[in-house]
Amino acid sequence: MKTPFLPKLAALLFVGWLSATHAHAQGKPPATGSLFEFQGTLNLAGLVGESGGTFGIGNLKDGRPAIKVDFPASKGYPGISFPSPKDGWDLSEYGGIAVDISNPGTVTHTVYLRAENKSAEANPWSVELIRVAAGETKTLKVPFGKAFGGQGFALDKTKVSAIRLYVDPPKEGFAMLLTNLRAYKASAPAPEAPKVVAGATKPYITKTESPADHTKPYGLNLVLVKDWTFGKNRPDATIKTREDLDREFYYRYIYNEGKLDTLATYWSVHRDYPDDSPKNLHVFGDNTLTLKGRIPEGGGLRKGGIESGMLRSKFNMTPGMYVEMRAKLTKGIGAWPSFWLNPGVQYPDGTFSKLGWPPEIDIFEFFNWQGRAKTKELAVNIQVNNRPEKFGNPYAIFTALNKDNEYVPGMDFSEDFHVFALDWHKDRPIWILDGHPIKQVYYEWGDAAPAHILITNQIGIEFAKDAMKQMTADESNWNYEVDYIRVWERK
């Protein structure tokens, strides 16, 4: 797992000495739950600065000593890590960890506290953040098994190997004062967190129900601003006919005056035949809309030889919104279903905003080739076209993805419907699967235009021509079924 910290900068300050008790030797804290003790004068032995974070001794308003952490202007995530026993803390009797934070400055800042395990494939963790206003003191608590108030990733409480405190990349330096890092008792047992490791067997639900309440996203409480619920015989549908679909969507990319029908990277071309045509690629079922894939007369398994449906929203998204789609995906070698955000606005009068690319946010992509005949490996990404100096450099805050930037929970996403979402927190987007976060990064959208939503049934992969020799002309594999797409925002 990638963490938001660059290589550690050792900056150890010894003042007095750190007490060593038998309980510590066994990895258990004293009865008070203290995880960083002071004996005599304040002792900072064992603390480690990370990504430029430094520390020393400061004083609270009442004169008591505290750990003063300085966070410099940085593109990384500066902070500190606390010392832990060789085999980690045994916190099996506790519900979480906490620290008291005081802000001696004049600006409100957000601080993160995170507990981790060591793991060969991915580092299980629990994390929480808090905003501390100028002159304010608050307690930041991290319940085990939780992440940002919701269900988090599996954490072995008997082997907490790292405790880290850090901030988002600051544009200007600032300081915080810390006291009383401790483990706290839980009033009730924390619920089991899903296990998230590469190759895990179905840690998340494998079939979802379409919620009757359209006003709330899957697991959150926000304000609904756009509801596309599909189905020709469905009481709650908002898109029942081709006329409804035409009102809300385009069927080509925004480039070339909104008429670009394919990209260089895949084989299929996008078409929008009339609803009553046997060639129709946007087919309403009783409760869904299916984006079809088909080989037309004279076509074949080659570049330009396949036709498929796509949707480009006329509605535009901006940072702060939340988008969610429930869908069952295509399958077979050569299938490349995608759900993404691309910058640019097509105005009703036929004119266009600035159409720069990148950035691009891939809510998901599935590349079905090189052994990926089944849709099992979910990829997410922010595309900056290998030019981070121009388009920004995404930094991982947390991730359950493997080293190839893919999430592999051990199930086939073409067998059942799943809920895919992006919670586009400003500068901190979170990818969510079936109500559970799987990745968050720090990324500034910058001066790019608002984004439109793309659901693209891409078939045939141009950059993997040799692998496409295994592809078959089975059109039944190429159905991209969509239950709904909805957008919410925070007021």
Side-chain angles (χ1 to χ4, degrees):
M1 171 187 174
K2 297 177 182 177
T3 69
F5 300 98
L6 298 177
K8 296 182 177 180
L9 302 175
L12 305 182
L13 176 61
F14 291 87
V15 184
W17 58 90
L18 185 65
S19 64
T21 66
H22 178 71
H24 291 151
Q26 299 300 316
K28 293 187 177 182
T32 60
S34 176
L35 299 174
F36 192 76
E37 293 188 37
F38 309 140
Q39 180 171 326
T41 55
L42 184 63
N43 182 0
L44 304 185
L47 290 178
V48 177
E50 299 190 334
S51 294
T54 59
F55 51 87
I57 300 172
N59 291 99
L60 302 174
K61 291 179 180 178
D62 60 8
R64 288 183 296 128
I67 303 169
K68 179 176 179 287
V69 183
D70 288 287
F71 306 98
S74 173
K75 291 185 178 181
Y77 292 77
I80 61 171
S81 65
F82 292 89
S84 60
K86 179 181 178 181
D87 295 322
W89 288 109
D90 179 359
L91 303 181
S92 53
E93 300 176 7
Y94 298 87
I97 60 172
V99 67
D100 297 329
I101 304 175
S102 298
N103 183 354
T106 59
V107 178
T108 298
H109 292 289
T110 300
V111 184
Y112 299 78
L113 183 64
R114 173 164 152 160
E116 299 179 1
N117 296 143
K118 291 180 180 178
S119 173
E121 294 293 336
N123 290 336
W125 47 265
S126 297
V127 66
E128 190 52 84
L129 60 81
I130 197 169
R131 288 179 62 79
V132 187
E136 190 174 37
T137 297
K138 281 187 173 180
T139 298
L140 174 51
K141 301 180 74 173
V142 181
F144 294 139
K146 295 289 186 178
F148 303 110
Q151 191 76 340
F153 301 114
L155 184 80
D156 184 350
K157 296 193 294 182
T158 67
K159 296 179 181 179
V160 177
S161 58
I163 298 175
R164 290 169 163 160
L165 184 138
Y166 60 96
V167 297
D168 289 324
K171 293 183 178 179
E172 296 181 356
F174 65 94
M176 288 288 187
L177 299 172
L178 313 179
T179 55
N180 195 17
L181 177 70
R182 73 268 188 195
Y184 64 84
K185 299 281 187 178
S187 56
E192 282 293 320
K195 295 181 179 180
V196 179
V197 295
T201 301
K202 298 183 179 180
Y204 293 152
I205 55 180
T206 59
K207 190 171 184 179
T208 60
E209 298 294 331
S210 187
D213 184 355
H214 296 202
T215 64
K216 296 180 180 180
Y218 210 85
L220 292 176
N221 186 16
L222 303 176
V223 178
L224 183 68
V225 294
K226 183 58 69 172
D227 180 2
W228 300 301
T229 301
F230 303 102
K232 61 183 179 181
N233 293 316
R234 180 177 181 174
D236 64 338
T238 61
I239 308 291
K240 297 184 177 185
T241 66
R242 181 55 182 269
E243 183 180 6
D244 294 336
L245 201 65
D246 291 346
R247 185 180 62 248
E248 297 292 334
F249 295 96
Y250 301 105
Y251 311 102
R252 303 287 195 279
Y253 290 106
I254 199 169
Y255 309 104
N256 296 353
E257 300 297 316
K259 298 177 182 178
L260 183 66
D261 61 9
T262 190
L263 297 178
T265 48
Y266 60 86
W267 289 357
S268 55
V269 293
H270 299 305
R271 295 287 181 260
D272 55 335
Y273 295 109
D275 207 20
D276 58 356
S277 169
K279 299 179 180 181
N280 184 18
L281 298 167
H282 302 83
V283 178
F284 284 95
D286 287 341
N287 299 293
T288 58
L289 173 71
T290 298
L291 306 182
K292 306 285 289 187
R294 183 178 291 115
I295 297 177
E297 184 178 351
L301 298 180
R302 54 177 168 76
K303 180 72 173 173
I306 305 169
E307 295 181 341
S308 64
M310 72 167 286
L311 298 175
R312 169 167 60 94
S313 70
K314 296 181 180 180
F315 175 84
N316 296 296
M317 280 194 63
T318 54
M321 293 182 176
Y322 180 110
V323 61
E324 176 175 286
M325 176 175 71
R326 183 173 183 265
K328 185 165 71 169
L329 305 181
T330 52
K331 58 186 174 182
I333 293 293
W336 185 2
S338 299
F339 176 29
W340 44 306
L341 302 180
N342 196 49
V345 175
Q346 181 172 346
Y347 300 111
D349 64 1
T351 60
F352 297 84
S353 71
K354 173 184 175 182
L355 295 181
W357 179 92
E360 162 195 321
I361 299 180
D362 298 317
I363 303 173
F364 70 67
E365 292 183 286
F366 289 86
F367 300 94
N368 283 19
W369 59 292
Q370 291 187 341
R372 300 178 177 94
K374 293 184 178 180
T375 312
K376 290 186 173 182
E377 301 180 15
L378 184 158
V380 308
N381 186 41
I382 292 183
Q383 176 63 258
V384 297
N385 203 25
N386 297 316
R387 298 185 64 189
E389 72 285 354
K390 181 175 181 180
F391 299 111
N393 190 12
Y395 291 93
I397 297 174
F398 68 82
T399 181
L401 279 62
N402 61 23
K403 60 182 176 60
D404 297 319
N405 209 32
E406 294 176 327
Y407 181 61
V408 190
M411 57 194 177
D412 185 347
F413 289 87
S414 69
E415 292 179 351
D416 287 305
F417 283 86
H418 290 270
V419 178
F420 307 91
L422 183 82
D423 192 353
W424 198 1
H425 284 274
K426 185 178 184 298
D427 301 339
R428 293 192 301 275
I430 304 173
W431 285 259
I432 299 170
L433 170 64
D434 290 335
H436 299 276
I438 60 173
K439 184 173 182 176
Q440 183 178 32
V441 303
Y442 185 90
Y443 183 74
E444 298 179 10
W445 190 251
D447 62 353
H452 54 267
I453 301 165
L454 287 167
I455 297 90
T456 51
N457 191 4
Q458 302 160 176
I459 304 169
I461 302 174
E462 180 67 9
F463 57 79
K465 288 181 179 179
D466 288 341
M468 294 302 98
K469 294 176 182 177
Q470 306 169 47
M471 187 175 173
T472 60
D474 185 352
E475 295 177 357
S476 66
N477 280 338
W478 300 341
N479 291 332
Y480 191 158
E481 298 179 63
V482 183
D483 174 351
Y484 66 81
I485 309 161
R486 296 174 188 148
V487 182
W488 295 262
E489 67 181 0
R490 291 172 172 81
K491 289 292 186 181

